Amino acid sequence: MNAPQHAHPTPVIAPRPMPAEMVDALRARFGDRCSTAMAVRELHGRDESPFDVPPPDAVVYCESNQDVIDAVRLADRFAVPVIPYGVGSSLEGHLLAVQGGLSLDLSRMNRILEINAEDLTVTVQAGVTRTRLNEELRHAGLFFPIDPGADASIGGMTATRASGTNAVRYGTMRENVLALGVVSASGEWVRTGTRARKSSAGYDLTRLFVGSEGTLGVMTEITLKLYPLPEAVSAAICHFPSVDAAVQTTIAIIQMGVPIARCELLDGRTVAAVNRHDRLSLREQPMLLMEFHGSPAGVAEQARTVQDIAAELGGESFEWATTPEERTRLWTARHHAYFAALQTRPGCRCVTTDTCVPISRLAEAIGESVAEADAAGLPYFLVGHVGDGNFHIGYLIDPTQPEERVLAETLSAQLVGRSLRLGGTCTGEHGIGLHKMGFLLDEAGPAAVGLMRAVKQALDPKNIMNPGKIFEA
């Protein structure tokens, strides 16, 4: 299996120094909310990607739209890069300062601005996290379903077009963002979209910014769709003799039209890591973790159908978690899978993939990728939001052994190449960032990437909005 021809795992570092005059102007405007302390800069110059990049030149803690506007206008005046920062959970290097510049920390912009329960919408500032949002919404009998695992900020989730465990039922951020407030590269605050569920008015600027990874503007306000809390929720786990049997079960569930809310795959080694991390006693073999939403009768019918399908394909030990406490424990363990896997090899770094393929090709994509990883002998873990064809393999490398990094990147590139060949994408939810710029060329082609460059140039002529991400400008 050949790797994509444009694989590009090494970031290009091209610093653009911040003038002392700009630092002085930032301090005059923001006081102690502007920091050039190395500890603060380093905190804002790291994420969960395997890259080591110098930190930004300064950090500004924003608390309002006007703060963002003023900071961006200074950056525009001095042609200095601006990098939006949420909680730092990126896996693909989105927030790394490859060209230096100013990190805009939006975590203090954490107000829920307006809940419209009758219309099932909410407007929040970009720094609100998904956990806090759902805590507030629960009192109104509503919830926001997009769940990428990490307690990410809504701004970060919008910027990367996140999805996660509920996407098979509720879609991704693309389907659930109605409107945005964005600060453009020139420092102008722009409103895109409305609270209406549809519109034919002009270009769809909202969709343009969703998934733009901070390269077109800084999103400060987001209006989202909400959903009523389901009347009944039930979760179940089912163990399988092989990863292939679990995947075939998933394919059958989706092709039968079962409206399953969540369908997560963990391979045996991931289950073992989760057991140790969360003190569970799950059988250490491939497992599907599923959840059903709806009326009590509907949930029961869905569950029976899925149980029958699983049994026909070798599934066994079907176990139910019907209480909120049991469900929370299982899903918390699933969300800890990444960190649980890291603990199996102390001091390691993780090179991750997150491809997505048409559901009919899922078994082929996972089976061949697992076989390659096993043959290579490099420690790895496998998880997946397999209900919509999205899966992740994380290769655990010793950062002191360069040959392991090369091997991991080779395996990752082969996996991406396979997914593209099968009609899929190089990234289902993590985004392009630094890590997958070459893969974007393989997927979209030079002409499409050229159009993206033209949009970037039109909206950000000085290339100050998170430069060096998605493609090299």
Side-chain angles (χ1 to χ4, degrees):
M1 178 70 203
N2 294 325
Q5 66 183 53
H6 296 109
H8 176 43
T10 304
V12 176
I13 310 298
R16 294 158 62 178
M18 181 182 294
E21 186 180 354
M22 178 172 170
V23 176
D24 292 341
L26 288 170
R27 285 175 173 158
R29 167 62 177 80
F30 295 100
D32 61 5
R33 289 191 287 127
C34 172
S35 178
T36 56
M38 182 56 73
V40 175
R41 291 164 52 205
E42 287 181 341
L43 175 66
H44 290 77
R46 290 195 304 263
D47 60 9
E48 295 296 329
S49 74
F51 299 120
D52 291 311
V53 171
D57 299 298
V59 176
V60 164
Y61 292 88
C62 296
E63 297 178 352
S64 67
N65 287 337
Q66 193 61 51
D67 283 350
V68 178
I69 290 168
D70 291 347
V72 171
R73 284 178 177 171
L74 282 171
D76 175 53
R77 183 195 310 173
F78 293 100
V80 166
V82 172
I83 308 149
Y85 182 96
V87 298
S89 58
S90 163
L91 290 165
E92 301 293 0
H94 296 98
L95 56 84
L96 301 185
V98 291
Q99 296 188 21
L102 175 64
S103 176
L104 287 187
D105 188 316
L106 306 180
S107 62
R108 298 182 185 180
M109 295 183 65
N110 58 4
R111 288 194 299 129
I112 296 172
L113 300 174
E114 185 178 19
I115 298 175
N116 298 102
E118 297 86 353
D119 296 323
L120 299 178
T121 67
V122 64
T123 299
V124 302
Q125 290 185 308
V128 172
T129 63
R130 67 172 184 86
T131 298
R132 175 157 174 264
L133 175 59
N134 277 319
E135 287 172 352
E136 294 292 330
L137 293 174
R138 186 173 64 249
H139 304 297
L142 303 171
F143 81 120
F144 181 65
I146 308 306
D147 177 9
D151 190 19
S153 68
I154 298 299
M157 290 166 61
T158 305
T160 56
R161 200 157 58 226
S163 53
T165 60
N166 277 315
V168 64
R169 175 75 175 265
Y170 298 99
T172 72
M173 291 299 287
R174 180 184 64 188
E175 291 80 33
N176 287 283
V177 174
L178 292 170
L180 297 169
V182 182
V183 177
S184 71
S186 62
E188 181 179 7
W189 197 78
V190 178
R191 184 73 180 172
T192 77
T194 69
R195 291 197 298 109
R197 288 301 177 111
K198 62 182 182 179
S199 172
S200 295
Y203 294 159
D204 192 345
L205 295 179
T206 302
R207 297 298 167 278
L208 178 63
F209 282 102
V210 174
S212 62
E213 302 182 17
T215 63
L216 300 179
V218 181
M219 288 175 277
T220 62
E221 294 182 7
I222 302 102
T223 299
L224 304 165
K225 294 180 184 178
L226 300 178
Y227 298 81
L229 283 168
E231 183 182 358
V233 177
S234 182
I237 57 174
C238 186
H239 299 279
F240 292 86
S242 66
V243 168
D244 184 68
V247 173
Q248 294 292 350
T249 298
T250 302
I251 293 171
I253 290 169
I254 300 305
Q255 291 179 340
M256 284 282 290
V258 179
I260 193 168
R262 288 168 156 174
C263 188
E264 295 290 297
L265 169 68
L266 288 77
D267 71 345
R269 69 190 71 211
T270 307
V271 175
V274 164
N275 275 343
R276 287 191 291 274
H277 186 274
D278 286 80
R279 296 184 176 87
L280 300 179
S281 55
L282 300 168
R283 291 174 60 175
E284 295 181 356
Q285 61 187 83
M287 181 185 84
L288 288 180
L289 171 56
M290 298 165 282
E291 191 167 276
F292 309 91
H293 295 177
S295 67
V299 164
E301 181 181 2
Q302 294 170 38
R304 282 194 302 270
T305 301
V306 168
Q307 191 166 4
D308 290 344
I309 293 171
E312 290 178 6
L313 291 164
E316 53 188 6
S317 300
F318 214 91
E319 300 174 26
W320 295 99
T322 54
T323 68
E325 293 77 16
E326 290 174 316
R327 292 198 305 271
T328 297
R329 190 174 183 217
L330 283 175
W331 285 111
T332 299
R334 164 60 185 92
H335 291 331
H336 289 167
Y338 174 79
F339 297 104
L342 290 181
Q343 289 184 5
T344 65
R345 195 178 190 192
C348 72
R349 301 288 289 272
C350 187
V351 175
T352 61
T353 65
D354 73 314
T355 60
C356 185
V357 296
I359 193 71
S360 64
R361 310 309 295 271
L362 183 62
E364 182 179 354
I366 291 181
E368 293 182 11
S369 300
V370 165
E372 282 180 347
D374 287 338
L378 192 66
Y380 72 93
F381 66 96
L382 167 68
V383 296
H385 316 310
V386 286
D388 56 8
N390 185 196
F391 68 99
H392 313 254
I393 294 183
Y395 305 100
L396 305 175
I397 63 170
D398 181 344
T400 68
Q401 303 295 321
E403 65 275 10
E404 290 195 6
R405 173 68 184 276
V406 172
L407 177 57
E409 294 290 0
T410 299
L411 290 169
S412 175
Q414 290 173 174
L415 190 159
V416 169
R418 176 176 302 107
S419 297
L420 296 181
R421 174 174 58 81
L422 297 176
T425 176
C426 66
T427 173
E429 58 183 350
H430 292 168
I432 297 297
L434 293 175
H435 202 201
K436 293 189 171 180
M437 289 194 291
F439 298 150
L440 178 63
L441 269 173
D442 291 299
E443 177 175 331
V449 173
L451 287 177
M452 296 180 202
R453 292 181 192 274
V455 172
K456 166 77 168 170
Q457 175 64 27
L459 298 186
D460 181 19
K462 296 181 183 178
N463 190 28
I464 65 170
M465 287 285 128
N466 206 12
K469 316 297 165 54
I470 302 183
F471 45 74
E472 293 176 20

